Amino acid sequence: MKITRPLIGKFLDISTSHITKKDARLLDRTVGSNPLIVYKYPEGFFVLVPEKFDRKNKYFHQELALAKKFGYSKALLNILRKAYAKNCWFVRLDCDGTVYSDLPTFKW
């Protein structure tokens, strides 16, 4: 199939202040048993938002359940839910990212 237009995806830009210190440590573990797909860079992380594979979104909910078992906070799981609801492909957690008034912040 020949593509005539570029495929452009979305990401949610958000401050690392919206995740806990433990979340940051877990995101830093990008190899092995980490249930999330993470790319680390000096100022933060890109986190892949699990995809919608069926009408009931079973896959997404299973991935969040695994992330919760792994130890991620409710705050990070809610960020992934927010990104998912907005059809974002990634979450960009950055030290200079956007701070949202409707989300909790953590000082670490």
Side-chain angles (χ1 to χ4, degrees):
M1 175 169 78
K2 188 174 181 178
I3 298 174
T4 58
R5 296 183 315 181
L7 180 62
I8 299 171
K10 296 191 308 185
F11 69 89
L12 175 66
D13 178 65
I14 191 162
S15 170
T16 52
S17 69
H18 289 300
I19 63 171
T20 65
K21 188 174 185 176
K22 181 181 178 187
D23 287 330
R25 282 195 313 269
L26 291 173
L27 288 168
D28 204 23
R29 286 200 225 159
T30 57
V31 189
S33 63
N34 194 334
L36 299 177
I37 298 172
V38 180
Y39 171 75
K40 182 182 177 189
Y41 64 100
E43 293 79 23
F45 308 92
F46 276 99
V47 182
L48 182 69
V49 176
E51 294 186 51
K52 299 178 184 181
F53 284 124
D54 57 33
R55 278 194 274 214
K56 294 181 182 175
N57 304 323
K58 260 198 219 165
Y59 180 78
F60 176 75
H61 296 297
Q62 289 171 346
E63 291 299 300
L64 284 192
L66 288 173
K68 183 177 180 179
K69 274 187 185 177
F70 193 70
Y72 286 111
S73 71
K74 184 177 178 182
L76 179 65
L77 299 178
N78 285 337
I79 289 168
L80 290 171
R81 284 185 190 97
K82 184 176 189 137
Y84 182 81
K86 300 209 176 279
N87 292 316
C88 295
W89 296 5
F90 291 92
V91 172
R92 178 180 170 247
L93 291 159
D94 190 272
C95 63
D96 292 324
T98 306
V99 177
Y100 296 91
S101 60
D102 63 332
L103 296 176
T105 57
F106 303 91
K107 293 187 182 214
W108 50 278

